[in-house]
Amino acid sequence: MELMNKTAAELSTLLASKEISAVELAKAALARTEAVDSQVGAYITTAGDAALAAAETIDKRRAAGDALPPLAGIPVAIKDNICTEGLLTTCASRMLYNFVPPYNATVMEKLAAQGAVITGKCNMDEFAMGSSCENSAMKITHNPHNLGCVPGGSSGGSAAVVASGQAPLSLGSDTGGSIRQPAAFCGVVGLKPTYGAVSRYGLIAFASSLDQIGPFARTVEDAAMLMDAVTGYDPAHDSTSAPAPFEGSLRKNLSPDMKGVRIGLPKEYFGAGISDEVRESVLAAAETYKSLGAEVSEISLPLVEYALPVYYILSSAEASSNLARFDGVKYGFRAEGCEELLDIYVKSRSQGFGPEVQRRIMLGTYVLSSGYYDAYYKKARAAQRKIREEFAGAFEKCDVILTPVAPTTAYELGSRTADPLEMYAGDICTVSVNIAGLPALVQPCGFDGGKLPIGMQLIGPRFGEQKLLNAGLAFEQASGLKNIIAAL
Ligand code: GLN
């Protein structure tokens, strides 16, 4: 039986009925990685032996008659900025080239409790700063649908691993689009949860007020399944986490009924700068929703104009503070030949961090420095409040908002690395969601002329994950666009 083409839900059923074993499935996942990852480059670290051992434990427990949770025995890959006890966690940075965490992130404890089989750690932009995975200090990840193109970023490895059939599920993190944009580029489903729904404990911080961990999958149901496993209030470890009303029940409550559901199309997201193919594909999805009984109407979110500067000011400010801990003393990389303490700091940080990370630290330090704080940081916070209010107003008129994910589909490797501002501009459709702390679901809605996937984004109100997944499921069923695996 070809196992890696199956969804996590199908595999879960096969495991529960003992038609397949967890070891058999883990072996299939490792074999697929062996066959394709030299081309894709999704993993920084594979954890084959540990995966087989974990799978064996699950098989023994199942044989002993234990009632196991749905993810027991399912292979899951993890972005390399999520701390995994005893397993190398580099954040794709030279700074953490040898960091083996002494503890697990909360999400890893939750996956362990579920019996998920961890297959390895996925490539990303260094410290999650980037949109193409090209800022990784470790390797290049290729888009499985066209190896000459980027997989998106920063969670490009987590998207590519699922799109190339190496694992049915993975975890990524999203500060300004890092789950959603690679999901769109790779033709998979990605969910950025409401801020606080998933614990950030053990997620190596980029911008703490924006970061969220979330699932990648090839179907909406599978995304719900993984989201159910990782959701949870974590007051002991993450004071910004919050009890989510849907905790653990998203998959159970999936319902594709779109009758009377109000969908808003913000006109600012469909204007100049968005490629014709992307615009047409997302607007066609809106037509599909109409045919399913939804009420689609145009809305306006004019403050999106300020989203990019607000995001790059706030996220860089927080990054400059969060990354101060990497000083060559406490973690990872230390430069050679240092004379005194300041020398250790300067040389280790100059050599340990790549150019994009250094750019963000400098930008963040600048906007927080006295004299500029009021002009930039304070203004960005004020604009953030306005953006939040604008979304709150929109959700009085509609249940979900439908937009493109990125202005274009995946582009050629190397084509945007020369100009950081051009790279930042690609984040225009995603960053507002983080600024407002909202959930958003991305899934495939078509293909461009070059057969690269096009994604659409559904944005919901705070803790509106169920609404998003329901709408996502409705579209998936109507369009048949699901479980897309790149031919490799
Ligand atoms: N592309 C955005 C950035 O470079 C978002 C990154 C993210 O969500 N981690 O900051």
Side-chain angles (χ1 to χ4, degrees):
M1 192 186 313
E2 176 46 85
L3 295 181
M4 298 319 289
N5 292 342
K6 301 205 180 298
T7 67
E10 289 165 351
L11 292 168
S12 182
T13 307
L14 291 169
L15 285 163
S17 62
K18 300 204 183 93
E19 275 167 82
I20 62 167
S21 72
V23 167
E24 208 178 312
L25 179 55
K27 282 187 177 157
L30 300 175
R32 177 75 180 162
T33 295
E34 187 68 34
V36 302
D37 210 42
S38 56
Q39 299 169 66
V40 178
Y43 284 111
I44 291 177
T45 305
T46 47
D49 292 344
L52 287 173
E56 220 168 282
T57 307
I58 291 299
D59 286 339
K60 280 193 190 131
R61 285 178 57 192
R62 193 153 351 237
D66 280 9
L68 296 175
L71 284 186
I74 303 289
V76 184
I78 308 293
K79 187 176 182 180
D80 209 22
N81 60 351
I82 296 175
C83 285
T84 44
E85 188 178 349
L87 182 60
L88 187 68
T89 299
T90 68
C91 240
S93 180
R94 202 173 170 212
M95 187 56 93
L96 289 175
Y97 76 102
N98 63 355
F99 177 57
V100 178
Y103 71 104
N104 262 333
T106 296
V107 292
M108 297 315 299
E109 289 294 328
K110 286 183 172 289
L111 289 182
Q114 285 268 326
V117 170
I118 306 306
T119 51
K121 305 297 293 285
C122 297
N123 197 28
M124 53 185 279
D125 287 295
E126 183 178 8
F127 282 97
M129 298 172 188
S131 309
S132 66
C133 245
E134 291 164 299
N135 295 334
S136 169
M138 303 303 170
K139 67 198 303 187
I140 294 286
T141 298
H142 302 260
N143 190 308
H145 292 276
N146 178 339
L147 297 172
C149 290
V150 301
S154 67
S155 315
S158 300
V161 88
V162 170
S164 59
Q166 301 186 58
L169 299 172
S170 68
L171 285 181
S173 69
D174 192 312
T175 306
S178 278
I179 291 175
R180 291 163 286 153
Q181 182 258 26
F185 281 14
C186 291
V188 298
V189 178
L191 175 67
K192 184 266 166 198
T194 302
Y195 185 76
V198 179
S199 171
R200 289 182 298 108
Y201 179 68
L203 170 67
I204 297 174
F206 164 8
S208 315
S209 77
L210 307 168
D211 298 341
Q212 269 295 283
I213 295 172
F216 284 97
R218 289 190 303 263
T219 67
V220 170
E221 182 184 14
D222 282 7
M225 201 169 157
L226 183 51
M227 183 61 189
D228 279 341
V230 296
T231 304
Y233 185 34
D234 189 16
H237 292 121
D238 177 2
S239 60
T240 63
S241 72
F246 52 78
E247 202 160 307
S249 63
L250 291 168
R251 184 185 180 204
K252 193 176 74 205
N253 292 328
L254 279 174
S255 149
D257 185 5
M258 290 306 292
K259 287 213 179 49
V261 175
R262 297 165 306 165
I263 298 181
L265 296 177
K267 61 172 189 269
E268 294 79 6
Y269 284 69
F270 292 87
I274 304 293
S275 81
D276 291 344
E277 285 181 307
V278 169
R279 182 187 308 109
E280 279 157 24
S281 184
V282 178
L283 290 176
E287 290 303 317
T288 303
Y289 276 124
K290 268 190 208 162
S291 72
L292 296 173
E295 293 165 20
V296 179
S297 60
E298 188 179 278
I299 61 167
S300 177
L301 293 170
L303 293 178
V304 67
E305 185 188 340
Y306 301 100
L308 280 176
V310 168
Y311 169 77
Y312 275 94
I313 289 170
L314 296 180
S315 65
S316 301
E318 292 185 34
S320 72
S321 161
N322 273 326
L323 271 58
R325 73 190 70 172
F326 302 103
D327 55 7
V329 177
K330 296 192 282 291
Y331 305 92
F333 176 78
R334 178 180 301 180
E336 311 248 321
C338 298
E339 301 281 317
E340 37 96 32
L341 189 63
L342 197 60
D343 213 24
I344 295 184
Y345 294 165
V346 173
K347 285 194 182 135
S348 301
R349 286 169 69 81
S350 305
Q351 296 169 26
F353 290 136
E356 183 60 30
V357 173
Q358 295 194 29
R359 186 178 295 120
R360 307 272 181 124
I361 292 173
M362 284 192 280
L363 177 63
T365 308
Y366 178 79
V367 299
L368 289 176
S369 56
S370 94
Y372 297 105
Y373 180 89
D374 285 342
Y376 296 109
Y377 186 78
K378 236 175 125 182
K379 264 204 188 139
R381 279 270 177 244
Q384 174 176 36
R385 267 194 302 280
K386 293 280 176 211
I387 292 172
R388 284 192 175 178
E389 285 165 17
E390 188 170 271
F391 273 103
F395 286 120
E396 283 169 15
K397 285 177 248 139
C398 51
D399 299 301
V400 295
I401 294 172
L402 175 65
T403 76
V405 186
T408 65
T409 51
Y411 39 87
E412 273 176 38
L413 280 158
S415 64
R416 292 196 189 172
T417 42
D419 181 359
L421 287 181
E422 190 190 354
M423 196 68 100
Y424 299 170
D427 299 334
I428 183 69
C429 304
T430 49
V431 292
S432 300
V433 164
N434 304 72
I435 292 170
L438 303 173
L441 177 73
V442 162
Q443 65 190 91
C445 64
F447 292 88
D448 71 6
K451 298 207 169 67
L452 281 165
I454 301 175
M456 66 182 201
Q457 169 170 249
L458 291 163
I459 305 172
R462 216 169 133 66
F463 293 119
E465 274 83 343
Q466 190 76 57
K467 283 185 185 176
L468 296 180
L469 291 161
N470 288 353
L473 181 65
F475 181 78
E476 188 180 273
Q477 289 180 350
S479 67
L481 290 167
K482 62 170 182 174
N483 201 21
I484 299 165
I485 302 181
L488 281 162

